Amino acid sequence: MAGAFGGFKGCQKIRGPQLRSLMEAKDYFLFDCDGVIWHGEQAVTGAAKVVNALISRGKNVVFVTNNSTRPRESYVHKFFRLGFTGVMLEQIFSSGYCSALYLRDVVKVRGQVFVIGCDGLRRELQEAGIPCVEEEDDPAATIYDCALAPDVKAVLVGHDDKLTFLKLAKASCFLRDPECLFLATDNDPWHPLSGGRILPGSGSLIAALEVASGRKATVIGKPSRFMFECISSQFSGVDPAQCLMVGDRLETDMLFGSNCGLDTMLTLTGVSQLEDAEVYRSSELTANHSLVPDYVVDTIADFLPAFEELDEQIN
Amino acid sequence: MAGAFGGFKGCQKIRGPQLRSLMEAKDYFLFDCDGVIWHGEQAVTGAAKVVNALISRGKNVVFVTNNSTRPRESYVHKFFRLGFTGVMLEQIFSSGYCSALYLRDVVKVRGQVFVIGCDGLRRELQEAGIPCVEEEDDPAATIYDCALAPDVKAVLVGHDDKLTFLKLAKASCFLRDPECLFLATDNDPWHPLSGGRILPGSGSLIAALEVASGRKATVIGKPSRFMFECISSQFSGVDPAQCLMVGDRLETDMLFGSNCGLDTMLTLTGVSQLEDAEVYRSSELTANHSLVPDYVVDTIADFLPAFEELDEQIN
């Protein structure tokens, strides 16, 4: 459907009847979470109604998030708590969960995984039966004299707001072994906090390790295609042409959609703004055009009038 | 003198009479420390004799180190402890000291400096009269709710083996202000430890911050020219053609020498090996040729027979 409206491809502000046709045309709605569905513990106004309405109309809704800090169960609870009543475990694809699938099913890791990340990521791995190196709690331990876990076959880097130099140094040492895999849940550079503050993201920690190790990490999360492969293998026979990827970040969500052949929609409730998309659209670097959304909405609540029109048609 | 021997430029293994002529031709000997003069608390065998002999023959000897972890006084003590009896404060140019000069004399910083680095770096800045943000000791503090120091006009990143996520996050927040300078003592990616371990260097921490902030750091240490400018302004009238830069790392020491128009000598007691230099020499990328040393010695102790020959000539 994208590009069917002539002129420059992409950035089409979409509302009313056009949005309704798009909703009718698609069977799978892939939503990013942070900045799209909620901000922290606050749902985006109308988001729960939209998601519940899509589900009740028989659409497949899945959540594709680079946030690796919580295990999937915790997402189910959060959705429920914020009024998204019908969201099930099977609909949630986090970069932590997909990293566990990658380690277990793709590379079939034998040995321990050293995790830079939150407890939720470690829990996700453990649920997939993947042994993780236990963190030591000794604050006096240093890289000069600490013990290094044996049999570490992968380093997995995710968002970690308890990062220490010791973790970074240990990971660098493990990566000296060329047989030790170097994986990352996602490559997000930073995340917005309230009051204009920012939080360094996994991408920041990966960069530190890439320099220290002289190696490149394999990224599991968006914009890499792997998360879509996880969705495809769970919902067999997903046709990319029937999917809409909705996100707030051009460099992850829109590029992910492009990489997987999905139509893409930017919602302006998060990180990226329309001007950012237009800069990519007018860029002379063709690679940048993959970051341009097909459609733009102010918020996913813009779907609501379309549902009402649909209901009017039906009644 | 470099390249005077015909054939491929650089990597000339030098000994005996040729080394003696080189020593006679040069007035300034710039030595890197780690991997050249010492390994940790162990002096390279013969290094003290070489340095003492150069000084007693009236040569100017200066030490140019990217190591920012100790203030200059501490270097003087270390030299003395390891048998280098004549080394004075004025001969020591560390990236920490030069960063302090840069902040005080070049950018004339007004306001506080937020330091990611060791206590020695903070002490060096304080001695230059530059106020640093005090570290808070509260282990429960987080970026979500901690206080952020006011009036921070520069972030300075150096080697920091007590790095925490909180320091990284605070620095990222300060760097949101385009008027806050982003400086780094050096860009060394990692440092060797015993037993095959490595230590992530400043370059690793800079990369993390560059990704989180979307900005590029200004690097004070080698290979940037600024440390040579500090030497030049202290020893007025230094002619680059009279200088020999001796180091163990191609990407810092040799490139620094090239950038400043100095003859360069690689000593094989540290990080880089002859094969690494030959890879750069045969590279099709001309920029890589600046990393090729003019001369190569196994150790700076190779200077010793040259002194003996000189002494024989004199007697």
Side-chain angles (χ1 to χ4, degrees):
Chain A
M1 201 148 179
F5 302 90
F8 265 124
K9 182 195 167 290
C11 291
Q12 189 201 344
K13 206 75 189 272
I14 190 171
R15 297 194 70 107
Q18 288 181 330
L19 188 49
R20 199 181 65 219
S21 320
L22 181 64
M23 269 171 40
E24 286 175 333
K26 299 296 178 187
D27 284 336
Y28 284 84
F29 292 79
L30 285 68
F31 289 101
D32 176 36
C33 295
D34 297 299
V36 175
I37 296 291
W38 54 53
H39 299 107
E41 277 300 313
Q42 186 97 43
V44 166
T45 311
K49 266 192 179 168
V50 170
V51 168
N52 295 343
L54 284 169
I55 293 172
S56 72
R57 271 163 184 80
K59 299 292 187 183
N60 292 293
V61 174
V62 293
F63 300 95
V64 192
T65 174
N66 272 357
N67 189 326
S68 69
T69 60
R70 17 171 119 229
R72 289 196 302 161
E73 294 80 16
S74 157
Y75 275 106
V76 173
H77 297 148
K78 179 167 179 179
F79 274 111
F80 191 81
R81 198 163 64 236
L82 298 187
F84 302 75
T85 46
V87 176
M88 321 281 280
L89 201 66
E90 295 71 33
Q91 291 169 273
I92 297 163
F93 293 83
S94 69
S95 63
Y97 172 62
C98 294
S99 296
L101 295 181
Y102 186 85
L103 282 162
R104 190 188 65 190
D105 301 337
V106 179
V107 297
K108 299 182 174 62
V109 71
R110 300 264 171 275
Q112 297 193 89
V113 177
F114 182 77
V115 176
I116 290 185
C118 294
D119 289 340
L121 176 58
R122 227 166 272 114
R123 226 172 325 140
E124 198 76 85
L125 263 58
Q126 281 154 352
E127 271 176 35
I130 296 162
C132 301
V133 175
E134 288 293 323
E135 285 297 307
E136 60 184 320
D137 278 332
D138 178 6
T142 73
I143 191 62
Y144 309 101
D145 55 13
C146 70
L148 281 183
D151 201 29
V152 171
K153 295 293 186 222
V155 167
L156 174 63
V157 184
H159 180 72
D160 187 347
D161 57 8
K162 289 188 180 129
L163 179 82
T164 60
F165 185 80
L166 183 57
K167 284 193 207 178
L168 206 60
K170 282 183 175 178
S172 306
C173 292
F174 292 130
L175 290 172
R176 301 276 282 176
D177 172 4
E179 295 196 355
C180 177
L181 298 170
F182 183 10
L183 306 176
T185 58
D186 66 282
N187 205 13
D188 290 6
W190 53 273
H191 302 284
L193 290 180
S194 58
R197 295 189 180 189
I198 61 167
L199 203 59
S202 313
S204 168
L205 312 188
I206 294 166
L209 265 181
E210 288 188 338
V211 167
S213 68
R215 295 177 56 178
K216 255 333 243 176
T218 299
V219 177
I220 301 299
K222 299 172 285 186
S224 144
R225 288 178 44 89
F226 183 69
M227 289 179 91
F228 189 68
E229 288 169 22
C230 294
I231 297 167
S232 296
S233 81
Q234 186 171 305
F235 299 87
S236 49
V238 178
D239 177 4
Q242 291 180 323
C243 298
L244 180 70
M245 173 69 214
V246 186
D248 74 315
R249 206 156 187 161
L250 303 169
E251 296 81 2
T252 49
D253 300 317
M254 301 303 107
L255 186 54
F256 171 73
S258 298
N259 287 343
C260 302
L262 324 178
D263 276 3
T264 54
M265 179 183 278
L266 176 70
T267 172
L268 299 176
T269 46
V271 170
S272 300
Q273 293 307 306
L274 192 53
E275 301 77 54
D276 307 321
E278 281 165 352
V279 168
Y280 284 128
R281 188 170 65 164
S282 56
S283 164
E284 289 182 10
L285 223 64
T286 353
N288 279 340
H289 300 172
S290 305
L291 286 80
V292 178
D294 297 310
Y295 308 105
V296 179
V297 292
D298 287 324
T299 151
I300 62 166
D302 288 356
F303 282 61
L304 288 175
F307 287 122
E308 283 155 23
E309 289 169 47
L310 278 178
D311 292 337
E312 278 164 31
Q313 284 184 322
I314 292 163
N315 298 331
Chain B
M1 202 148 176
F5 302 90
F8 266 122
K9 182 196 167 290
C11 290
Q12 190 201 342
K13 206 75 190 273
I14 190 171
R15 297 195 70 107
Q18 288 181 330
L19 188 49
R20 200 182 62 218
S21 319
L22 181 64
M23 269 172 38
E24 287 176 333
K26 299 295 176 187
D27 285 336
Y28 283 84
F29 292 80
L30 286 67
F31 288 101
D32 177 35
C33 295
D34 297 301
V36 175
I37 297 289
W38 54 52
H39 299 106
E41 276 300 314
Q42 186 98 43
V44 166
T45 310
K49 267 191 179 167
V50 169
V51 167
N52 295 344
L54 283 169
I55 293 172
S56 72
R57 272 164 184 76
K59 300 291 185 183
N60 292 294
V61 175
V62 293
F63 300 95
V64 193
T65 174
N66 272 355
N67 189 326
S68 68
T69 60
R70 20 172 117 226
R72 288 195 303 161
E73 294 80 16
S74 156
Y75 275 105
V76 174
H77 297 149
K78 180 168 178 177
F79 274 111
F80 190 81
R81 200 163 63 234
L82 298 187
F84 302 74
T85 45
V87 176
M88 320 282 279
L89 201 66
E90 295 72 32
Q91 291 168 273
I92 297 163
F93 293 83
S94 69
S95 63
Y97 172 62
C98 294
S99 296
L101 295 182
Y102 186 85
L103 282 162
R104 190 189 64 191
D105 302 335
V106 180
V107 297
K108 300 181 174 62
V109 70
R110 299 265 171 273
Q112 297 194 90
V113 177
F114 183 77
V115 176
I116 290 185
C118 295
D119 289 339
L121 178 57
R122 225 165 274 114
R123 222 166 337 135
E124 198 76 85
L125 264 58
Q126 281 155 353
E127 271 175 36
I130 298 162
C132 302
V133 175
E134 287 293 322
E135 285 296 307
E136 61 185 319
D137 277 332
D138 178 7
T142 74
I143 191 63
Y144 309 104
D145 54 15
C146 69
L148 280 184
D151 201 29
V152 171
K153 294 294 186 221
V155 167
L156 174 64
V157 184
H159 180 71
D160 187 347
D161 58 8
K162 290 188 180 130
L163 179 82
T164 60
F165 185 80
L166 182 57
K167 284 192 207 176
L168 206 60
K170 282 183 176 177
S172 306
C173 292
F174 292 131
L175 290 172
R176 301 276 282 175
D177 173 3
E179 295 196 355
C180 177
L181 298 170
F182 183 10
L183 305 176
T185 58
D186 66 281
N187 204 13
D188 290 6
W190 52 273
H191 302 283
L193 290 180
S194 58
R197 295 189 181 190
I198 60 167
L199 202 60
S202 313
S204 168
L205 312 187
I206 294 166
L209 265 181
E210 288 188 338
V211 166
S213 68
R215 295 177 56 177
K216 256 331 243 178
T218 299
V219 177
I220 300 299
K222 298 172 286 184
S224 144
R225 288 178 46 89
F226 183 69
M227 289 179 90
F228 189 68
E229 288 169 22
C230 295
I231 296 167
S232 296
S233 80
Q234 186 170 308
F235 300 87
S236 50
V238 178
D239 176 4
Q242 292 180 320
C243 298
L244 180 69
M245 172 70 213
V246 186
D248 74 317
R249 208 158 187 160
L250 302 169
E251 297 81 1
T252 49
D253 300 317
M254 301 304 106
L255 186 54
F256 170 72
S258 298
N259 286 343
C260 302
L262 323 178
D263 276 3
T264 55
M265 178 182 280
L266 177 69
T267 171
L268 301 176
T269 46
V271 170
S272 300
Q273 293 307 306
L274 192 53
E275 302 77 55
D276 307 322
E278 282 165 351
V279 168
Y280 284 127
R281 188 171 63 163
S282 56
S283 164
E284 289 182 11
L285 225 64
T286 353
N288 280 339
H289 299 172
S290 304
L291 287 79
V292 179
D294 297 311
Y295 307 105
V296 179
V297 292
D298 287 324
T299 151
I300 62 167
D302 288 358
F303 282 61
L304 288 176
F307 287 122
E308 284 154 23
E309 287 169 48
L310 279 178
D311 292 338
E312 278 165 30
Q313 283 184 323
I314 293 163
N315 297 332

